[in-house]
Amino acid sequence: MEITPGSIGRFVATAAATGWLVIGSTIRDNPDDRPPRADTPAPAAAAQPSFTYSNELRERLNRRVAPEPGRNPFQYGSRRSPAAALELRREAAAEPAVAAMPAEPPAPHVKLSGIAMSEQDGAKVYTAIVIENGVMVLGKAGDKLPSGGVIVRVDEMSVIVADVAGITQTLRLP
């Protein structure tokens, strides 16, 4: 058998790995046999551990807690007795049923952003720049808004808008 540099390297690597595994797998019987590290302070001789926290925990474990009345999330159905359930049904039947009112659609949110002026045939014509529910509308008196309302009048500083019900609202520039 020839000894080559590769076989010597494999032998040394195997020996090192075996030594590392043997040393790392040994267990010390008492971890306190280790010498104290220089960077940690030595424990005070007079200080004794306080066991109050463990005593409090032990007392909490021994204390009986009464269950709160109500629904049990781990039991199907209710915890009410059949008599109590029957009473609830009677109370519900005795109350008159109230018809649900249909919810009214929200009123359109109209905001005056600006007023533009132009001249046509020597007369001033005002155009309102209105934002209604996030939609910008350029309109003159008599123009309809997307919600169905109408621009009634536009002047230099304000706009009068009427909704579908005929209720007017005056919008002014800040």
Side-chain angles (χ1 to χ4, degrees):
M1 179 164 149
E2 289 185 36
I3 299 177
T4 62
S7 63
I8 293 173
R10 274 181 278 195
F11 177 74
V12 170
T14 304
T18 304
W20 177 71
L21 285 173
V22 169
I23 292 172
S25 65
T26 60
I27 301 173
R28 293 184 181 203
D29 291 332
N30 190 355
D32 293 333
D33 290 343
R34 289 177 270 158
R37 292 177 31 180
D39 59 345
T40 59
Q48 293 184 353
S50 172
F51 296 107
T52 57
Y53 184 67
S54 13
N55 290 338
E56 288 176 17
L57 290 176
R58 191 172 294 112
E59 287 174 13
R60 287 174 79 187
L61 284 173
N62 293 334
R63 199 176 322 147
R64 293 265 181 204
V65 178
E68 295 180 13
R71 184 179 166 276
N72 183 355
F74 300 105
Q75 182 180 7
Y76 182 75
S78 67
R79 293 185 72 191
R80 294 186 185 106
S81 66
L86 183 62
E87 184 65 29
L88 284 175
R89 281 191 219 127
R90 285 181 186 159
E91 288 175 8
E95 294 177 9
V98 178
M101 297 292 292
E104 294 182 18
H109 181 69
V110 182
K111 179 181 173 187
L112 179 60
S113 182
I115 296 176
M117 184 203 58
S118 62
E119 286 194 28
Q120 288 181 343
D121 299 328
K124 294 180 182 179
V125 178
Y126 294 103
T127 304
I129 304 168
V130 178
I131 298 176
E132 180 181 38
N133 295 330
V135 178
M136 183 183 296
V137 179
L138 301 175
K140 298 176 182 158
D143 289 348
K144 288 196 172 237
L145 297 172
S147 66
V150 179
I151 298 175
V152 177
R153 182 174 150 214
V154 181
D155 59 21
E156 294 176 359
M157 296 300 290
S158 65
V159 175
I160 299 175
V161 178
D163 63 1
V164 179
I167 301 171
T168 61
Q169 178 182 7
T170 303
L171 307 172
R172 299 189 190 284
L173 286 175

